[in-house]
Amino acid sequence: MNSVASVFYYLRWIAPAFRRTPGPAITLRRGPQAVAYIAAAASLVLGVASGVALTVQT
C-alpha cells in the first residue's frame, strides 16, 4: 500500500516535467561547452581506467 502511495506522490512531481512543450533550445558559448565536454570525457576515461586498474591488481 505504501508503494502505491509513493508512486502517486512521485508521479505528481515528475509527470508535469514530461508533459510540457519544449521551449527554445539553450546554446552555450564555446568555453563552457568545451569544459562540459572535457569533464564528460574525463569522467568516462577515469571510470574505464579504474575498472582496468582494479582488475589488473587482483
Side-chain angles (χ1 to χ4, degrees):
M1 192 66 152
N2 286 337
S3 296
V4 172
S6 66
V7 165
F8 284 113
Y9 175 78
Y10 288 116
L11 283 179
R12 184 175 51 164
W13 295 98
I14 295 172
F18 292 105
R19 277 193 243 146
R20 292 186 185 153
T21 58
I26 297 172
T27 57
L28 294 176
R29 293 177 300 180
R30 292 275 188 203
Q33 187 177 14
V35 170
Y37 282 130
I38 291 169
S43 177
L44 289 172
V45 169
L46 289 173
V48 171
S50 66
V52 171
L54 290 174
T55 57
V56 170
Q57 291 181 359
T58 56

